[in-house]
């Protein structure tokens, strides 16, 4: 699918067919999202996919009973790794080896990331992981697989369900599956969008309407 | 460009040609990102594009002197609107009109959003706006326009440069322009990426290596 078509036609889906999204399909999507950008190339995203009945029921409870959590083929949990040192050594040595920085700079950054738990670290984790999660939505839709990113779930219960370590900050839950387009929400006119002129100003803020 | 090609070939660019990215091109990109998903469809993203020399110089100072801020054709600032009520009325009445909810539910949600400044609102703004910002990166790259999302800038100085209101939370700065591929960073081997198996586990956390 053309990029612009993917962007313009992707919509959040609550109604799924019974067709399973295979683990191989999920792997292929993750193989695409690996190329998402991140600050310092630290790639602090972690994906856990829950595709068994019991797990999805637990997550549905954590999501205040939202039905599509169990109706969907799988649920994708996206975490941001708060430990900036987790992949620092590999990432910075790679950059030095390929000429992006010097060995000295690499050493300095490895040390800094391993020490650092700076203010605003949660926001950093949310921002970085959301880039990867958004890429997931388009890479999935390109294969005809719909997603529904969800607010409204209990973070502690979600972390417990999958055994997330302390340093994994839960960022997004999304259901995935093939859309059921027959007699469902799909047939409704799409929801309104703000206008381009409302979203965009040049030079300085010109109002958000 | 095919979606997967856009995802896999997009890379952050610091070196740009002198060719200008026109305001019409920027508008067309924003016209695509309008379709990004958001919780309740609240679309709390605000884009300010700075494309004049003076503005870009101010932003470069706010970004600790990073050269590509003035070398780029333009700088895109993405804000998250902390005021959940800003577009609530239009959005929820639309949903009721199209059968997504009842009129009563719409009224209830409009009232709740206008009152609400819940805990975690900044994170919500960061997450939502990052979805739109990521869409921007792919919609731009699809047109051959490169982006470089940047960490490392002073939020207050950025807000002051463009006159952002108190309720606009600064989320991302990115430079945009046509990539200069000749004798630049572009020729280097791309930076390492984590493996699919390292990013992904099924059912429960299986380690992040």
């Amino acid at each position: 699918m053309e990029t612009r078509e993917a962007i313009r036609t992707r919509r959040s889906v609550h109604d799924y067919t019974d067709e399973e999204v295979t683990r191989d399909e999920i792997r292929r999507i993750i193989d695409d999202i690996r190329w998402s950008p991140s600050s310092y190339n630290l790639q602090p995203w972690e994906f856990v996919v829950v595709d068994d009945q019991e797990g999805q029921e637990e997550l549905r409870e954590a999501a205040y009973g939202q039905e599509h959590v169990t109706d969907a083929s799988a649920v994708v949990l996206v975490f941001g790794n708060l430990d900036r040192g987790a992949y620092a050594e590999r990432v910075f040595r790679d950059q030095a080896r390929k000429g992006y920085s010097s060995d000295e700079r690499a050493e300095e950054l490895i040390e800094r990331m391993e020490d650092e738990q700076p203010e605003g670290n949660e926001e950093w984790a949310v921002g970085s992981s959301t880039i990867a999660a958004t890429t997931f939505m388009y890479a999935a839709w390109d294969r005809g697989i719909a997603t529904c990113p969800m607010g409204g779930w209990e973070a502690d219960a979600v972390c417990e369900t999958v055994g997330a370590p302390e340093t994994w900050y839960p960022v997004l839950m999304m259901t995935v599956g093939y859309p059921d387009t027959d007699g469902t929400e799909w047939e409704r006119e799409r929801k309104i969008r703000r206008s381009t002129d409302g979203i965009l100003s040049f030079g300085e803020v010109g109002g958000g309407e």
Side-chain angles (χ1 to χ4, degrees), chain A:
Chain A
M1 194 187 294
E2 284 287 314
T3 310
R4 269 172 265 182
E5 189 190 342
I7 289 171
R8 286 170 166 269
T9 63
R10 198 217 75 91
R11 55 192 286 192
S12 296
V13 164
H14 296 86
D15 305 297
Y16 299 100
T17 68
D18 289 338
E19 190 182 345
E20 193 198 344
V21 178
T22 65
R23 290 188 168 189
D24 276 348
E25 278 289 43
I26 301 274
R27 277 192 198 96
R28 283 192 279 267
I29 296 167
I30 297 291
D31 198 46
D32 290 335
I33 71 97
R34 296 167 64 224
W35 299 98
S36 305
S38 55
S39 57
Y40 294 110
N41 192 33
L42 283 172
Q43 310 162 62
W45 40 75
E46 315 285 356
F47 283 70
V48 183
V49 173
V50 176
D51 57 2
D52 65 292
Q53 197 55 31
E54 196 186 331
Q56 285 179 242
E57 272 163 23
E58 272 186 53
L59 290 177
R60 179 173 163 179
E61 252 178 71
Y64 309 107
Q66 294 183 68
E67 286 173 22
H68 59 114
V69 177
T70 45
D71 290 349
S73 179
V75 183
V76 176
L77 303 174
V78 186
F79 298 85
N81 197 329
L82 297 173
D83 175 9
R84 295 196 184 196
Y87 312 110
E89 190 156 339
R90 229 187 312 170
V91 161
F92 291 119
R93 288 208 200 289
D94 169 76
Q95 284 172 36
R97 194 175 64 76
K98 292 174 181 163
Y100 287 94
S101 73
S102 65
D103 287 331
E104 293 68 33
R105 175 74 175 151
E107 292 306 324
E108 183 196 318
L109 286 169
I110 292 165
E111 203 168 312
R112 197 205 292 173
M113 294 303 149
E114 283 172 355
D115 286 347
E116 207 173 50
Q117 191 77 277
E119 217 189 314
N121 209 29
E122 282 83 2
E123 273 182 25
W124 172 78
V126 170
S128 309
S129 311
T130 301
I131 291 177
T134 306
T135 307
F136 187 106
M137 295 178 215
Y138 295 124
W141 187 234
D142 183 53
R143 295 168 165 86
I145 297 167
T147 47
C148 183
M150 302 162 57
W153 38 271
E154 283 186 70
D156 288 349
V158 166
C159 289
E160 203 178 310
T161 298
V162 298
E166 283 273 305
T167 49
W168 286 26
Y169 193 73
V171 173
L172 198 75
M173 181 189 288
M174 56 185 162
T175 51
V176 292
Y178 292 94
D180 181 1
T181 58
D182 190 20
T184 67
E185 220 174 58
W186 186 273
E187 293 182 346
R188 295 202 182 106
E189 194 187 336
R190 289 189 65 184
K191 294 175 183 168
I192 200 174
R193 289 304 197 272
R194 293 173 59 208
S195 71
T196 300
D197 286 342
I199 296 168
L200 174 66
S201 20
F202 287 99
E204 59 182 14
V205 173
E209 280 307 308

